[in-house]
Amino acid sequence: MSDYILRRLLLIIPTLFGILLLNFVIIQAAPGGPVEQTIAKLEGLDTSGGAASRATGGGGDVKSGSGYRGAQGLDPDLVEDIKKMYGFDKPATQRFWIMVKNYATFDLGNSFYRDTKVTDLILEKMPVSLSLGLWSTLIMYLVSIPLGITKAVRHNSKFDIWTSSIVIIGYAIPAFLFAILLIILFAGGSYFDWFPLRGLVSNNFDTLSLFEKIKDYFWHLALPITALVIGNFATLTFLTKNSFLDEISKQYVITARAKGLSEKQVLYGHVFRNAMLIVIAGFPSAFMGLFFTSSLLIEVIFSLDGLGLLSFESAINRDYPVVFGTLFIFTLLGLLMKLLSDLCYCLVDPRIDFANREH
């Protein structure tokens, strides 16, 4: 097993390299980079009659020392200075290798526009995304697994049919639309004002006692988490149900019943371990899925400043250090979680041995 883990860890290196290279190539082809945006803003100052006009006393001609030539465009030296400021004075290949070498030491650089380290930005936004991902995944598992088992035991009953209908309807409703509905109903929209509309905690959070802090924290998370998990019950619930139905029909279950074991002993003593293999082992991947996806609109709607919103704004603003820094961290964590999923298979069922399988 140790050899298998070592091989998987070593495979992370070329995988990370390939993902970074592919995205770097795509980014180079995307128009409107930071240099172009800065030039456009500087050229727009003159036409808008704003800062550039005020600097010239409203005459429209900037002093020769400023390097700005109005309608004639920017001075080539100023353009080169802008490129140098963003690191675009170097060839693309050189910029890529510099980025890779820095990432090898977890130096993610500084944001172009926020004047802070990318690492600090990620750590600052992490609590929001971690809260949404962790609690959403836990609630989803705590509800979906018992529901799936009950549906399998009572297959084709009225309970099975009605719960399937409800779960599918929840799956069909987009998370952001359900979030808006929750705000209208419970956050002072039109009916009740029971929950806060924005933020992860209240403004007076630091002055609260420990119990009040915990209560305030979950009070703010109630609506965002509900909006996130409502559409994610379906996949896990039906996966659990189908896994149990598949195991219940096998010969060893018939043999266990023939030996006089009760239905509860058969279900939880024999079926549960085999049926839950794929469900439990998929927990790390499910957590990463909720941690890094489907939360952008939820963060926007509930004014939660998390990693989803950070990544989106950075991509729009072409803040490349943040874009590639978050991509590097997300990919690395995703690959490690995939490895953890495989290890979970072995823990749930020791008969599985990835180390000895043929490649």
Side-chain angles (χ1 to χ4, degrees), residues 17-185:
F17 180 84
I19 291 174
L20 288 174
L21 177 60
L22 177 62
N23 283 273
F24 186 85
V25 172
I26 294 174
I27 285 293
Q28 301 312 302
V35 174
E36 289 83 356
Q37 288 191 13
T38 303
I39 291 175
K41 288 178 181 178
L42 290 175
E43 290 178 337
L45 290 176
D46 183 66
T47 58
S48 63
S53 180
R54 289 193 299 271
T56 60
D61 293 326
V62 182
K63 296 178 182 179
S64 58
S66 66
Y68 187 74
R69 304 302 175 88
Q72 297 178 3
L74 294 179
D75 190 301
D77 292 335
L78 179 57
V79 174
E80 290 301 317
D81 290 339
I82 295 173
K83 290 182 178 180
K84 186 175 182 180
M85 179 176 65
Y86 291 119
F88 281 79
D89 57 324
K90 304 179 181 67
T93 53
Q94 186 178 351
R95 285 188 280 118
F96 177 74
W97 284 112
I98 291 174
M99 181 182 71
V100 170
K101 285 189 288 185
N102 289 337
Y103 284 5
T105 59
F106 286 89
D107 179 8
L108 305 183
N110 296 322
S111 169
F112 283 158
Y113 307 115
R114 298 173 184 258
D115 194 27
T116 186
K117 292 183 178 180
V118 176
T119 307
D120 294 338
L121 276 175
I122 293 176
L123 292 176
E124 178 186 344
K125 314 298 182 183
M126 185 74 75
V128 171
S129 297
L130 189 62
S131 296
L132 291 175
L134 177 62
W135 297 116
S136 299
T137 306
L138 287 176
I139 293 174
M140 185 176 67
Y141 267 74
L142 289 174
V143 174
S144 296
I145 291 177
L147 180 60
I149 295 174
T150 307
K151 286 172 64 63
V153 174
R154 303 172 63 177
H155 182 54
N156 284 334
S157 66
K158 289 184 178 180
F159 173 82
D160 182 31
I161 295 172
W162 279 105
T163 53
S164 295
S165 302
I166 294 173
V167 167
I168 291 173
I169 291 173
Y171 180 75
I173 300 176
F176 75 91
L177 190 61
F178 193 75
I180 295 174
L181 176 62
L182 291 176
I183 290 175
I184 294 174
L185 292 177

Side-chain angles (χ1 to χ4, degrees), residues 314-352:
S314 301
I316 294 298
N317 295 327
R318 302 296 194 272
D319 195 347
Y320 292 153
V322 179
V323 171
F324 284 106
T326 52
L327 174 67
F328 173 76
I329 295 297
F330 291 177
T331 305
L332 178 60
L333 290 176
L335 293 172
L336 291 175
M337 285 297 178
K338 289 291 184 183
L339 174 58
L340 184 58
S341 293
D342 287 347
L343 297 180
C344 286
Y345 277 107
C346 297
L347 292 175
V348 175
D349 190 349
R351 295 173 297 177
I352 297 178

Side-chain angles (χ1 to χ4, degrees), residues 145 147-157 160 164 237-254 257 263 267 271-272 274-276 278-279:
I145 291 177
L147 180 60
I149 295 174
T150 307
K151 286 172 64 63
V153 174
R154 303 172 63 177
H155 182 54
N156 284 334
S157 66
D160 182 31
S164 295
T237 299
F238 288 120
L239 177 63
T240 304
K241 176 189 173 181
N242 293 333
S243 296
F244 268 80
L245 286 177
D246 184 55
E247 292 295 324
I248 288 173
S249 62
K250 291 185 177 178
Q251 183 62 43
Y252 75 89
V253 176
I254 299 174
R257 286 171 176 164
E263 197 65 25
L267 188 62
V271 176
F272 185 83
N274 295 324
M276 293 304 296
I278 190 172
V279 177

